[in-house]
Amino acid sequence: MDDGRVKKGVNFVNLVDVGDPAVIAAEYERQGADELVFLDITATNQKRETMKAVVERVSRQVFMPLTVGGGITSVAQMQELLKAGADKISLNTAAVVNPKLITQGAEKFGRQCIVVAIDVKMDPTTKQYQVFTAGGKHNTGLDALKWAEQAVALGAGELLVTSMDKDGTKSGFDTDLYRKLNERIDVPIIASGGAGSLADFTTVFTAGKVDAALAASVFHYGELSIPAVKQTLHTAGVNVR
Amino acid sequence: MLTIIDYDAGNTYNVQKAFDFLGVKTELTADPEKILASHGLILPGVGAFAPAMQTLQARGLDSVIKQAVAKGTPLLGICLGMQLLFESSSEYGQHAGLALIPGKVIALPAKKGFKIPQMGWNQHELRQSDSVFAYVAQEYTYFVHSFYAQCPNEYLVSQVEYSAPVPAIVRNKNVYGFQFHPEKSGQVGIKLLRTFVEEVVEA
């Protein structure tokens, strides 16, 4: 999301306008999506008001879990978004800058309400998974697997892990990353970044052992339909709605 | 017109929005007179059992709810609101509930492959085929909970399988409970709320 519109990029850049969020949300509900995630990718104070209005509008017509994130730095802001209709709050940069925010949110709203989003890029020489913040612009130097463990210990009820290397490339999810995470983490993991084919979804659930998969481009551009993805997963023996 | 019982529970906004969508007027109130005059009551809830019961008691709402139920007013408890309907809960200690449905609330058992809380969609198995909610059979609704009810079969309308069999819809006469979030369960969730209004409250 940017300026109240749905946008999508490749490797976090070259954003293209996809459309009106309420219209897109209603269409995804009709197709059988299980959950929607709204991330304000260039959040500022002014745009947070726009986001609130969008969440308010979407939640009046679309009845499924809504996760909202982007630029949230305080419990008061979480409360405002929950009041507007969000069910879960996604923290990314602010969680790295101020890890206590995770605990404060979990204590106030329950840990099921607090999602920590982690944007991950592999260092090509050390092969270490590194955490990036500020919309993928800032390399924190943190080890992604360790940060994930810490975030859960602090109260995260769910992790939304995006592979920046895969984002928008449609070359498949980073299955190795999710398998390694799942060995260490006991909260649900949502895989994000790289969905391109029906088989990619099967692979990330069976080999990556994730609990949910998020896709944007392939659905926004109508390249894959949600029913086709679910049918493929069902046939592969993955338990889906 | 439905009355949503106000005891500072989280997440009442989305329950209200779902009824707005259905064109059903709701009022959020803690006023005993209004609750006793209401044709249908909703007890929402997100959070922990003990503080929720304490707030109900502090506002005298526990006895008001029991009075309304005794005179036949339909009541629907949602999520924690459903758990409050039972006799007791062992969430952070042992606590008494409203005792409107026989049974107790306990923690979901740990089991490999089942993350707790249960957070996601699960499929209903129907246990009472003559229920107004019978069409929920095989449908999926959205759950977020770490505790679940155990109650005699006669109160069980539907259940879902998780790390234990989890009562999903329960009923004792005019008292109903949904463990899932109908306001977050897509079109079937909306339909279940519509059924409560049309087939229970207005019937």
Side-chain angles (χ1 to χ4, degrees), chain A residues 215-226:
Chain A
S217 308
V218 290
F219 295 145
H220 290 338
Y221 301 128
E223 292 163 18
L224 298 179
S225 75
I226 294 170

Side-chain angles (χ1 to χ4, degrees), chain B residues 131-143:
Chain B
S131 168
V132 293
F133 301 113
Y135 58 82
V136 83
Q138 311 305 310
E139 294 281 2
Y140 285 82
T141 60
Y142 184 75
F143 292 78

Side-chain angles (χ1 to χ4, degrees), chain B residues 82 85-86 100-105 123-134 136-137 143 145 148-162 164-173 175-180:
Chain B
M82 158 172 153
L85 304 175
F86 289 93
L100 295 168
I101 305 180
K104 59 180 182 176
V105 175
Q123 192 175 26
H124 289 245
E125 185 189 311
L126 189 65
R127 301 297 297 268
Q128 278 180 20
S129 56
D130 59 346
S131 168
V132 293
F133 301 113
V136 83
F143 292 78
H145 65 124
Y148 75 112
Q150 282 189 323
C151 66
N153 281 337
E154 57 188 293
Y155 306 110
L156 197 56
V157 176
S158 74
Q159 66 179 24
V160 298
E161 199 58 38
Y162 200 63
V166 172
I169 300 181
V170 292
R171 177 195 179 182
N172 180 17
K173 298 184 194 113
V175 179
Y176 292 77
F178 291 174
Q179 176 62 69
F180 53 94

Side-chain angles (χ1 to χ4, degrees), chain A residues 166 168-173 192-197 200-201 214-219 223-224:
Chain A
K166 296 288 190 173
T169 63
K170 299 176 190 173
S171 60
F173 291 94
S192 158
S197 71
D200 292 340
F201 286 89
L214 178 150
S217 308
V218 290
F219 295 145
E223 292 163 18
L224 298 179

Side-chain angles (χ1 to χ4, degrees), chain A residues 181-197:
Chain A
L181 273 171
N182 191 63
E183 284 167 7
R184 295 170 174 236
I185 300 296
D186 62 358
V187 302
I189 298 166
I190 308 168
S192 158
S197 71

Side-chain angles (χ1 to χ4, degrees), chain A residues 87-105:
Chain A
D87 299 284
K88 302 182 199 175
I89 297 297
S90 170
L91 301 173
N92 189 330
T93 305
V96 173
V97 173
N98 175 20
K100 276 192 214 136
L101 192 60
I102 303 172
T103 312
Q104 288 164 355

